[in-house]
Every structure is written in C-alpha cells, then in structure tokens.
Amino acid sequence: MAKKRTGLFDKLVILHLLSTSILFLIIIFSYYYIEKRNFDNSLTKKSHIIRDLLEISCIDPIVKTIAYDRVNRSIKALYQANKDIVYMELYDPTAHTIASVGDLPGTRFTIDDISRLIQQHNGEITGSGNISNSNELIAYLEVDGQNLGLIRVQFTRKYLYKQLRANIMFFLGVSILSIAATSLIFYFFTDIWVVSPIVSASNIMEKYGSDELHTLRKSIKKHSKKNIRDEIGVMSVAFERMISSIIKWKEEKEKAEAQYRLITENIEDVIWTMDMSMKFTYVSPSIYQQRGYTVEEAMKRTMEEVLAPDSLNRVMALLDRKLMLIEAGDPGGWESEVFEAEQYCKDGTTIWASNNAKIFPGPDGKPAGILGAAHNITDRKQAELALIESERNYREIFNATRDGIFIHDADNGMILDVNKGMLDMYGWTYDEVMHGTLATFSAGIHPYTLVEAQKIIKKAVQYGPQTFDWLCRKKDGTLFWGEVSLKYVEFPGKRYVLATTRDVNDRKLAEKSLAEEKERLAVTLKSIGDGVITTDISGNIVLLNKVAEHLTGWTNREAVGRPSDEVFHIVNEQTRELCDNPVTKVISNGKPVDLGENTVLIARDGRERSIADSGAPILDAKSKIIGVVLVFRDVTDKQRLEQEALKVRKLESVGVLAGGIAHDFNNILSAILGNISLALEYTPPHEPTHLLLAEAEKASLRAKDLTQQLLTFSRGGEPIRKTTSIAEIIKDSSTFVLRGSNVRCDTWFAPDLLPVEVDPGQISQVIQNIIINASHAMPDGGVVTIRGENVTEDHIPPSLQNEKQYIVITIRDHGTGIPQNIIDNIFDPYFSTKQTGNGLGLAICHSIIMRHEGFIAVESKPETGTVFSIYLVASKEKITDCSGEKPEAAAQVCSKIMVMDDDAMVQDISRAILTRLGHDYQFAPDGEEAVALYKKDYLSGNQADLIIMDLTIPGGMGGKDAVKEILAVNPEAKVLVSSGYSNDPIMANYEEYGFCGAIVKPYQMKELKVTIQEALLR
C-alpha cells in the first residue's frame, strides 16, 4: 500500500493546530493560576488571619474551650478593623450562634448544616455551599483536633473586584507573551516547510535552459527527495520527470534522426516531399544513385523535368482526384496511393519508378504537401515487357493449334484459360467460357457430367496423364465427340491441369458405324436361332456363337483352338456311325455342303439333338479359303412338333366330329328335355310317374353338361358368365370326378365367400381337370383338400393389381409332386409327363382362367404334393337362381314369338312349350325366311314380339347375320340367340351382336319361360 504524502496544506493545518493548542494551554494555565491560586489564596489567607485572631482571642488555651465573654468583643474588633468584611458569625457545634456582627444574611445554619460541614472538614477553609454567596467563607475553630465551632465570614464586592482587576492584568500579560511565542513558532516552521522549498525549487527551475539537462535533473532530484511528502515535492518530482522525458525525447530524436539519416542516405529508394505548388521541399541523397542528380539539383527540378509526359498527365489527374475527395470530406483523399511513373535521369535516359505517395495536412487541416517514396522498378518493367512479349509468343503458339486447349485449376477444376481453337470448336466467346464451368461444355448426360469430369481431373493429378473420349456440347447445343488428354503440371506455388480436346466426331461416327456393324453381326450371331461355328484353314475352332455353345456344350473360350470334330461331334441317328466331318469336306471341295437327314449332334454332356446343318468356305479379298463356317440348327423340337401337329390334326378331326355330334345331340336333347319338362307340367307331383320324369330330366341335364364339355374341348370359346356360387360348382365337380375312386375330397369355404361371375361349365371343367391330375398323382388313394376364401389386398398377385376384388381357390394333393425343372412348362400346350396324356388338360385350364380375367399358379415339391391356386374376380351381384320358378314381373301376356331353327324336333317341342305358355308362334327354318316373314309382318303391323334364333344353320343364314337384317328393319326388335355352343363368343357377348338375350340348348321349359319374360320386359 502506497505511503500517504504529508501535503503543504496538511503541514499548515498541523502548524495552526499546534500554535492554537499551545495558546489554549497557556490560557487554561493562566486561568487556573488566577482563579484557583491568586483569588482563592487571597481569600483563604485573609480567612486564616481572621481565624487565627479569633483562636487567640476567643479560645481558652487551658480548658481549650471558647471564651464566650471575649467572643463578642473580639468579633466586633475584627469587624471594625477590616472594612472589607460584610458580616461575621460564630457557631458552636449545636448550631447555636455564639456571636455575630455586621449585616447578617437572612439564612442561618441548622444543626444538619453544621453536622455536614464538620463531616466534610479536612482542615481547609471551604465555601459555605451557598451558590448565591460566592464571596462567603467558612473557617473552623479547633483545639488539638477538636472542633469547637464554625466562623462564617462574607467579604465585600469591592474587595473582590479589586482582586479580580489584578488578576485580569496578569492574564493579559500572559496572553500577549503566548501570542508572541506561537507567532515565532509558526514563522519558523513556515519558513522551513513552505518558503525555503518553494524558493529552492524556483531557483532550480530558473536554471532550465541554461544548465545542462542532466545537471538540472540531478539538482531537482536532490531537492525532490527532501520534499517528497508534500505538493512542492510532487511538483519537483513532476519537474524531474519532465526533464527526464525531455532528455529521453532528445535522445530518441537524435537516435531517430541518425537512423533517418542512415536510411535516407543509404536506401535505394528516393524519399521526397513537395509543397502543394509542386516544388520539392526535400529529396533524399539516394537520388544520385537512382537518377544521377545531387540533392541540390533535384530540389530545383520541376515536375515537367522529372516525369515523362504520359506519366505527368496520369500523376496530375491522380492528384486532382485526391484533392476533390479531400474537398468532399472523403477520407480516401488522405490515403496513400501507389502509382508507376517514367522519370528522367540526368544523362537523359529514363527509368520506371513505383511511387508510394500521400497528401499530408497542415495545422489548419488543409493539404500542406505531399510525401512520397520512389522505388526503381526498371528491371521489373523490362521483365514485364519481356513477359508480355513471351505472352504474345505463347499466345501465338497457344492459339495456332486447331485442338481446343483448356487450362484448369488442379484443386477445383475451374477453367483458367482457353485457346482460340477451343472457341472455334465450341462456338463460344472467351468471356462466355470464363464464366462457364465444365458442365457448360459437356453433354450433361451420364457419364459426361461435371461430377465425372472433376473425378477424371483428380485422377490426372494423382495418377498421371489421362486420355479418354468425351461427349462435348457446343454453344448451339450440338453434341460432338472429343478426344481429351489431361496432364498435370506445376508452376511455382500453383497447380494446373492442361486439357487438350481434339474433335474426333467423324472418327467416332466411323467407329460407331463399324461398332454398329460389328454389333449387328454379333447380335445376328447371338440372335440367330442357328448355331454358328467358324474354323481356320486347319479345321480348328475360331468362334462359337451362343446357340452353338448351348448345342455343343462347349463355351467359346474352351472351344477356340480345338479340332472341329472334337467340338462338333455328329453321328447318324439310325446307324449310330460317325458322319463325315463337314469342315474337311468344305476345305477339300471348296464348295458349300449340306448334311444328310437323320444327323444327331452329341453334346459335351452326352445329350443328343437332331440337327440340320450346312457348311461354307470363308474367302478373303482374293477369294482364297481362310476358313469354314458351319451353320446348324436344333430340329429336335421341330420334329416333335411335327409329330404333335399330326396328333393335333387328328384331334381337330375328332373335335370337328365331336362338334357335329354335339350339335345334333343338343337338338335331340332339346326335344327330350323339352318333352320331359312338358310331361312334368301335366303330371301331378304325387304320381310315381312324376318322380321318374324328374330323374330323367336330371339325366338329360347331365348329358347337357357332358355335351358342353365336348364342345369346349373341340372348339374352346368365350365363357358365358353368370353370377353363381363357386362352392356349389366345386362340390358338384369334385363329387362327379371322384365318384368310384379311392380319393376323396375335403372342402372348406369361408362363410363370407363372395360370389363369382363365371361360366359354370368351363370352371367345372377346370376343377375337374385339376382334381383328375391330383387323383392320378395319388394312385394309392388320398385326400384332395379344397379351400375357398376372399383375397385381401396384400395377398393379390402382382399381375392382378387393380381395383377388383378376388377370391382364391386352393386345390392341394399329397401326391408325388412335380419336378422343379418342368413345373414352368405344365401349362404349355401338348406338354405331358403321362405316357397316355395329350398335354391339353392344364392348357385348357389356363386358357379358361385367363378368359375369366383370373390367374392360376402352382407350387410343388417332389414327394410332398402340389397346390394349385386359382384367383377369380368376385362379383357384387347376387347369385342368380334358375333352379326354381322365378316370380313373374307381370301377369302372363300372350305374345307372338318367332322361332328360327332348322331342326323339326326343336320346332315341335318349341311349339308345344309356347302353346303351354300361352304364346302365339311362327317358325322359320333359316335366316332368309325369318327376315322375309318379319318384314312382311312389320309392314302390316303384325310383327313378332320376340324372335328366338338358332346361332348356326348348316347351309343357310344363321342368327349372327339374320339379326342384323332384322334390326335394320326395326331397331326396336327383340331377338334371342340360341345355340348348343355355349362357349361361342356370340353367346358370351350377345349384346355386342344385337341380341337382347341368350339361351343355351337344350333348355327346360321353365328356363325358356324366364328368358322370354326377361326379354319382353326389357
């Protein structure tokens, strides 16, 4: 903690306090002396005299008691002798007044007062205790320590004032002496503490400017040590520090001046200053080394004599601009400026100097002059000129080539420079290129993108030169091929990648054309269904295409260089003898050759294939044989297909026969079923005959179904759909197929299983075919499990992803299963693993399901079993029930109905049914007659209300053509189509052909009745 100085003011205060304290002590002492000593002593002395006189005159010395007879006399004598006494009283210890004289006071002592005063008595004269009588004294009469009484005396005021005046005069004398003493003390210390230090400091300060500074600093330092604790000391220290600072400043100034002289006299740059009139005020000596002038000569030069004209104009323009900025208050006007100027030397030559100059202000804040430094840059300027020349030469070479050259920054791929060849090649201007990126000049399609280009640049930096083809883009958007070469180079502190682009679009197009030609040849060789083998003149393999690889079992890499007969191993199918090598035959004959029939190629794995082949020589430009080409094909499947075709033709013949039989059989069934229906109408239900007729009707319906299956097998066709329960179809079909076999069917259907819109006959055929295959797969018996349920959206096969709802039927057996290598072929026509199978069962199933817009899939594992999954479109319609009588929409109305059918039995049964139903009828054997009758009746207004037309009329117009002519006569005509070919497309899509309904022969009376009513009500 710093020690607190004792200031000058503090000293004066202390001195004042000291003098005042001394004076105060003297006064107190004088007062004490006057009051306590002089005044009291004078009274006490006088009281002692009175007491002593009374003791002598009033006390008997023998008996040591008061002589009462002398007391009054003695007191009076004393009173009369002393004019200063006002009164006197003498009390005994019992407060009895022994004697008194003078002007007595109004108060007297009591016994208690006497007792108190005696107890307080210590042998001295005391006051009476009466505050109002300060001039009253008490004296005690004693003999040998025995108190005999009290003397009460009061002096006059005159006596007291006399004593007081004497005391005051004494007090005044003492005070004057005290003041004089304190004044002497104050002057002494003021001179030591204040006057002398100030005079000393003033004398020292007067020497500033005459004495040497170091001597002056020592004197003031010595003085400040004596007075360090007051203001004069602080002032001295400050003065000392000021002197020290001045000394230090002068030393630093001298040092700086020395350094400045050292710099200005030895620096190569010229330091100069000039005033605002452009006259030099200072030039450093280095002007001689730089331009040959002495300082004096340089100071006299004008600006015109210093600067070349161009440089002078530029400098003056720069100065004017700076002055305008300063005048406008812009701080930029005061900032330094670097400029280059051509300056004259004394010998008449010129040098280039870089000047760093700035305007400096005067005391008024206005421009006062210019300070600058000129550095000789002549060598640099010459180097720049040489560089410019070199740059010009570089540009000539750089732009001479027709190749496009890019210079890239190796770190970020930015374009730093390009040549004229690049601009001509790409069609851009130089400024446009400098603002572009690699993406601008690339095709922009993978892999010709900015990202890929940057990757290749990095590879050039890391791994060395890169050469590649690049798809480039011109300014007009045209794409062309360029051959790009990248090379990484380094210059001091910089890294570049040089990219040279050569337009190889024509070459690329030629290469593309050649590649396309080769590709076409390769594709031809790969795509051709024939195997192709080429050999050299020695018969060794040169090339195998993919088909040849597949047929021979040899890959091209394995076969190349091997003898042709090792790879192309052929024998006669019938004799099993080796065939002649076709390569040898072609080389020896020089002509194409064909292999004979029954040639079998034995592959590397031993598999045999029937082939047909030919060989031809390969000729060079001089028609010299340089090899052989063998072209061969696998005819194994062709031969099998020919055999299958023969089988199909036989089946088609059987199908045509079956179709004809089925057509005639349907007509017979129509008569039988119609007559049974009529008989049931006329027979009461309780009659035994009614039961027999009902059984006959069921048998006829079953025969109808068999006929439909025969027709489907023979011709196929579109399904005639109706909304029905798939469960009923499956139950009936499975029961029918498995009747009498050792395989039973276990079915389960979801309670909420949706109905389907299908052709019951065709779907029944699908179910029957699959169940038949399942029973064949379990020769020892077993269980076929069938499940039916609705399909959720996440379980619909991808091929059925649409907005429709589906159900799925799964049919599972536990048989031998299907091998995985053939499971993909089971739906192919004519594919079968059975010795007696024709390969059409599952093909028909697949065709029927596809025509129902469904999907069929199969899963199988050997010895585990097979699962068929059938997906069908669910229907939103209610199930149509044709088994019972439908409620009539209206009362039976007699209508006129025309029936067109060429079969007399059908006409007869139709006549009977229509008569039973209460309708009028008319018949036509073919379409021509039906159209003629309808036209005639239409003109008379008696046309038929409904026409039922047979779809097929052998040798005549059928319903398909007849309905067109009927509708041409009357577009409102109602025509039903009837046929035994239920899966005919017209039966499935009757409305597209103009019919209002369809009915399949043979039909029951109630089925015909419902169909007629529905048609009439449309």
Side-chain angles (χ1 to χ4, degrees):
M1 186 174 181
K3 189 174 181 181
K4 185 177 181 182
R5 290 190 180 95
T6 304
L8 182 60
F9 176 77
D10 296 336
K11 290 180 178 179
L12 293 175
V13 170
I14 292 171
L15 184 59
H16 173 72
L17 292 176
L18 178 62
S19 302
T20 305
S21 299
I22 294 173
L23 181 60
F24 180 73
L25 290 175
I26 293 173
I27 293 172
I28 293 301
F29 173 77
S30 300
Y31 173 77
Y32 177 78
Y33 178 78
I34 294 170
E35 290 293 330
K36 297 298 182 181
R37 296 296 180 183
N38 298 343
F39 188 72
D40 288 348
N41 288 344
S42 62
L43 292 178
T44 305
K45 183 177 180 182
K46 198 168 188 65
S47 298
H48 279 296
I49 293 172
I50 294 171
R51 186 189 63 183
D52 293 340
L53 290 174
L54 289 176
E55 285 180 353
I56 294 172
S57 60
C58 297
I59 298 176
D60 189 345
I62 298 175
V63 294
K64 297 182 182 181
T65 60
I66 295 175
Y68 292 97
D69 56 339
R70 293 182 297 201
V71 171
N72 286 329
R73 188 172 58 250
S74 298
I75 288 177
K76 289 179 181 180
L78 287 174
Y79 174 74
Q80 293 175 354
N82 292 280
K83 300 300 185 179
D84 298 327
I85 297 175
V86 178
Y87 65 84
M88 294 179 61
E89 284 186 304
L90 182 61
Y91 291 92
D92 62 11
T94 62
H96 178 71
T97 303
I98 301 174
S100 63
V101 66
D103 296 330
L104 297 174
T107 59
R108 293 179 58 81
F109 287 155
T110 63
I111 186 74
D112 294 329
D113 295 333
I114 297 297
S115 298
R116 177 174 56 79
L117 290 172
I118 293 174
Q119 288 177 358
Q120 294 177 352
H121 172 57
N122 56 2
E124 299 292 335
I125 302 298
T126 62
S128 63
N130 191 339
I131 298 174
S132 61
N133 296 324
S134 59
N135 56 351
E136 185 180 81
L137 295 175
I138 305 298
Y140 301 94
L141 297 177
E142 294 180 345
V143 178
D144 297 333
Q146 182 179 357
N147 196 327
L148 301 179
L150 299 176
I151 300 173
R152 182 181 183 189
V153 181
Q154 183 179 28
F155 296 98
T156 62
R157 293 187 179 275
K158 183 178 179 182
Y159 174 77
L160 294 176
Y161 290 153
K162 179 181 178 182
Q163 294 297 323
L164 180 60
R165 281 195 299 270
N167 291 337
I168 288 174
M169 292 305 292
F170 175 79
F171 175 74
L172 289 175
V174 172
S175 297
I176 292 171
L177 292 175
S178 300
I179 292 171
T182 54
S183 297
L184 288 174
I185 294 171
F186 189 84
Y187 173 78
F188 176 76
F189 285 103
T190 301
D191 181 68
I192 294 176
W193 290 349
V194 179
V195 177
S196 295
I198 292 176
V199 172
S200 176
S202 176
N203 292 333
I204 294 173
M205 291 179 184
E206 284 180 357
K207 296 178 180 179
Y208 177 68
S210 59
D211 286 3
E212 200 271 335
L213 290 176
H214 290 281
T215 303
L216 187 61
R217 182 173 63 177
K218 290 180 181 179
S219 299
I220 196 66
K221 187 173 184 181
K222 181 178 180 181
H223 177 269
S224 62
K225 287 182 178 180
K226 297 178 180 180
N227 303 279
I228 193 64
R229 297 183 179 276
D230 56 20
E231 283 79 355
I232 298 173
V234 172
M235 182 178 66
S236 301
V237 171
F239 187 64
E240 177 197 351
R241 290 177 180 173
M242 182 186 71
I243 298 300
S244 299
S245 298
I246 293 172
I247 293 171
K248 183 177 180 181
W249 173 78
K250 289 185 67 177
E251 291 175 349
E252 290 178 351
K253 179 183 177 183
E254 292 172 356
K255 182 179 179 181
E257 289 176 349
Q259 292 176 345
Y260 177 74
R261 285 193 299 272
L262 179 65
I263 293 172
T264 56
E265 292 174 2
N266 294 281
I267 192 172
E268 292 183 0
D269 294 350
V270 176
I271 309 299
W272 54 267
T273 61
M274 61 173 51
D275 57 22
M276 297 308 297
S277 62
M278 300 293 103
K279 292 182 178 179
F280 287 101
T281 56
Y282 174 78
V283 177
S284 65
S286 54
I287 188 68
Y288 183 79
Q289 286 81 10
Q290 189 177 95
R291 291 165 50 206
Y293 290 106
T294 65
V295 172
E296 291 76 14
E297 291 172 339
M299 293 279 287
K300 296 176 182 179
R301 311 299 291 180
T302 64
M303 291 293 290
E304 289 77 5
E305 296 172 327
V306 172
L307 299 177
D310 290 343
S311 298
L312 177 63
N313 293 334
R314 285 189 287 106
V315 169
M316 297 307 295
L318 176 62
L319 177 62
D320 291 341
R321 182 170 61 84
K322 284 289 186 178
L323 291 175
M324 290 176 63
L325 290 175
I326 292 173
E327 185 176 356
D330 190 333
W334 300 103
E335 294 178 356
S336 61
E337 192 79 24
V338 177
F339 59 90
E340 295 180 357
E342 187 178 9
Q343 301 180 350
Y344 292 117
C345 296
K346 187 175 181 178
D347 60 3
T349 61
T350 60
I351 66 168
W352 279 93
S354 175
N355 290 266
N356 189 342
K358 68 176 296 184
I359 300 173
F360 60 86
D364 58 355
K366 295 182 179 180
I370 305 171
L371 169 65
H375 177 68
N376 190 346
I377 59 170
T378 304
D379 293 341
R380 194 194 78 188
K381 270 292 183 179
Q382 291 175 350
E384 288 177 355
L385 292 174
L387 181 62
I388 292 172
E389 180 65 19
S390 175
E391 172 72 12
R392 189 181 66 79
N393 296 334
Y394 156 75
R395 282 290 168 187
E396 289 293 331
I397 299 172
F398 190 52
N399 292 319
T401 177
R402 296 178 61 185
D403 292 342
I405 300 176
F406 294 79
I407 300 178
H408 296 280
D409 188 316
D411 296 322
N412 53 33
M414 290 182 60
I415 299 173
L416 302 179
D417 198 7
V418 295
N419 71 337
K420 186 175 182 297
M422 181 271 167
L423 302 179
D424 295 339
M425 185 182 298
Y426 286 81
W428 297 85
T429 66
Y430 186 82
D431 290 338
E432 289 172 338
V433 173
M434 289 300 98
H435 288 87
T437 65
L438 287 172
T440 310
F441 314 108
S442 300
I445 55 178
H446 186 77
Y448 310 106
T449 61
L450 175 62
V451 175
E452 295 300 323
Q454 291 174 338
K455 289 180 180 178
I456 299 175
I457 289 177
K458 289 182 179 179
K459 288 175 63 177
V461 174
Q462 295 175 355
Y463 306 112
Q466 304 287 320
T467 301
F468 53 91
D469 291 337
W470 192 257
L471 189 56
C472 309
R473 182 186 297 276
K474 295 184 178 182
K475 183 178 180 179
D476 61 3
T478 304
L479 301 181
F480 69 96
W481 284 100
E483 182 183 73
V484 181
S485 298
L486 300 182
K487 184 177 182 181
Y488 170 68
V489 295
E490 288 187 3
F491 293 120
K494 294 184 178 180
R495 307 184 328 146
Y496 303 96
V497 171
L498 300 182
T500 303
T501 303
R502 176 166 295 175
D503 187 344
V504 294
N505 205 52
D506 294 339
R507 189 198 76 191
K508 201 72 176 177
L509 291 176
E511 290 177 353
K512 182 180 178 183
S513 177
L514 179 60
E516 288 175 352
E517 186 65 28
K518 292 177 66 177
E519 180 66 18
R520 281 194 294 271
L521 178 60
V523 170
T524 301
L525 290 175
K526 291 180 181 178
S527 303
I528 193 171
D530 295 347
V532 178
I533 298 176
T534 60
T535 70
D536 56 19
I537 193 66
S538 301
N540 296 323
I541 300 295
V542 174
L543 172 70
L544 272 72
N545 71 347
K546 291 295 182 181
V547 177
E549 287 181 341
H550 172 68
L551 295 179
T552 62
W554 292 82
T555 64
N556 183 66
R557 186 176 62 181
E558 294 171 336
V560 171
R562 293 180 180 272
S564 59
D565 55 358
E566 181 182 353
V567 176
F568 190 66
H569 183 55
I570 53 178
V571 298
N572 185 283
E573 184 178 11
Q574 295 177 348
T575 64
R576 308 304 295 178
E577 294 179 356
L578 288 174
C579 296
D580 294 336
N581 189 342
V583 174
T584 303
K585 292 174 63 176
V586 170
I587 292 175
S588 60
N589 297 332
K591 296 180 180 180
V593 298
D594 292 325
L595 292 180
E597 296 182 355
N598 302 320
T599 302
V600 173
L601 173 65
I602 302 177
R604 188 178 185 182
D605 59 1
R607 187 173 179 179
E608 296 184 0
R609 293 182 176 87
S610 298
I611 62 169
D613 75 339
S614 63
I618 301 175
L619 306 178
D620 60 11
K622 297 180 180 180
S623 299
K624 182 180 177 181
I625 297 176
I626 58 175
V628 176
V629 57
L630 298 177
V631 180
F632 57 98
R633 69 186 64 87
D634 183 0
V635 297
T636 305
D637 292 338
K638 179 182 178 183
Q639 291 178 354
R640 185 177 65 82
L641 288 175
E642 289 175 351
Q643 295 173 357
E644 292 295 335
L646 179 61
K647 184 188 297 184
V648 169
R649 286 195 293 272
K650 292 179 180 179
L651 290 175
E652 286 178 352
S653 300
V654 174
V656 172
L657 178 62
I661 294 173
H663 179 266
D664 294 338
F665 189 60
N666 266 334
N667 288 335
I668 296 171
L669 275 179
S670 296
I672 295 172
L673 191 57
N675 283 303
I676 292 175
S677 298
L678 284 171
L680 285 172
E681 289 289 322
Y682 290 107
T683 304
H686 61 275
E687 292 289 338
T689 307
H690 189 282
L691 180 60
L692 295 175
L693 290 172
E695 290 297 326
E697 186 180 42
K698 288 182 180 180
S700 298
L701 291 174
R702 185 172 297 172
K704 172 185 175 181
D705 292 338
L706 290 174
T707 304
Q708 292 303 321
Q709 291 184 29
L710 183 61
L711 288 172
T712 301
F713 169 75
S714 64
R715 295 183 59 186
E718 293 296 323
I720 301 178
R721 306 182 190 186
K722 65 179 180 178
T723 303
T724 185
S725 170
I726 192 67
E728 296 299 325
I729 296 175
I730 292 173
K731 289 178 182 177
D732 291 344
S733 300
S734 60
T735 302
F736 177 76
V737 169
L738 297 178
R739 181 176 296 139
S741 70
N742 59 351
V743 176
R744 66 180 178 85
C745 186
D746 185 6
T747 60
W748 177 87
F749 300 98
D752 60 345
L753 184 64
L754 296 171
V756 291
E757 191 172 355
V758 297
D759 184 321
Q762 290 189 6
I763 296 300
S764 176
Q765 184 175 357
V766 172
I767 301 301
Q768 290 179 24
N769 287 348
I770 295 176
I771 293 177
I772 288 172
N773 286 343
S775 66
H776 289 168
M778 298 184 293
D780 296 331
V783 178
V784 176
T785 304
I786 303 177
R787 294 172 58 88
E789 55 189 328
N790 299 322
V791 183
T792 58
E793 291 184 4
D794 51 346
H795 288 86
I796 295 177
S799 61
L800 300 178
Q801 293 294 332
N802 51 50
E803 297 180 356
K804 297 180 180 180
Q805 286 183 293
Y806 289 86
I807 68 164
V808 60
I809 306 300
T810 56
I811 304 174
R812 181 189 301 273
D813 66 53
H814 302 281
T816 56
I818 304 173
Q820 292 298 312
N821 61 336
I822 65 170
I823 195 169
D824 293 334
N825 302 322
I826 62 173
F827 294 115
D828 294 343
Y830 314 115
F831 180 84
S832 177
T833 58
K834 303 174 185 177
Q835 295 296 328
T836 58
N838 56 31
L840 294 175
L842 291 178
I844 290 177
C845 292
H846 186 272
S847 176
I848 290 173
I849 296 302
M850 291 300 105
R851 287 174 181 171
H852 280 79
E853 301 177 62
F855 179 74
I856 183 170
V858 61
E859 295 179 8
S860 182
K861 293 182 180 180
E863 307 304 327
T864 301
T866 303
V867 179
F868 283 87
S869 298
I870 302 171
Y871 294 83
L872 295 172
V873 179
S875 175
K876 298 180 180 179
E877 303 293 333
K878 294 183 179 180
I879 296 176
T880 302
D881 184 9
C882 296
S883 60
E885 190 77 26
K886 290 186 178 180
E888 296 183 1
Q892 182 69 37
V893 178
C894 178
S895 302
K896 183 178 180 180
I897 298 175
M898 178 189 293
V899 177
M900 186 198 81
D901 199 296
D902 63 327
D903 192 279
M905 290 187 295
V906 174
Q907 290 182 5
D908 291 340
I909 190 60
S910 298
R911 182 183 296 109
I913 292 175
L914 292 174
T915 301
R916 176 63 179 171
L917 296 178
H919 297 293
D920 293 334
Y921 52 85
Q922 63 183 147
F923 294 95
D926 55 32
E928 290 87 348
E929 187 171 342
V931 172
L933 284 174
Y934 188 81
K935 286 182 179 179
K936 178 182 177 182
D937 292 342
Y938 182 74
L939 293 175
S940 64
N942 189 31
Q943 74 274 13
D945 299 310
L946 179 67
I947 304 173
I948 302 175
M949 288 187 171
D950 192 2
L951 182 61
T952 304
I953 301 296
M957 180 187 290
K960 178 180 178 182
D961 297 326
V963 70
K964 295 178 182 178
E965 297 193 21
I966 294 294
L967 292 176
V969 175
N970 179 17
E972 303 297 326
K974 298 179 180 180
V975 184
L976 289 175
V977 62
S978 175
S979 176
Y981 296 99
S982 64
N983 45 15
D984 191 286
I986 298 177
M987 296 294 288
N989 305 298
Y990 55 83
E991 290 182 342
E992 296 179 6
Y993 298 89
F995 297 103
C996 65
I999 185 169
V1000 180
K1001 294 192 295 184
Y1003 42 77
Q1004 299 169 279
M1005 185 179 73
K1006 54 188 176 183
E1007 186 178 357
L1008 180 62
K1009 176 183 177 181
V1010 171
T1011 305
I1012 291 173
Q1013 287 180 345
E1014 289 179 348
L1016 291 173
L1017 291 174
R1018 286 181 181 269

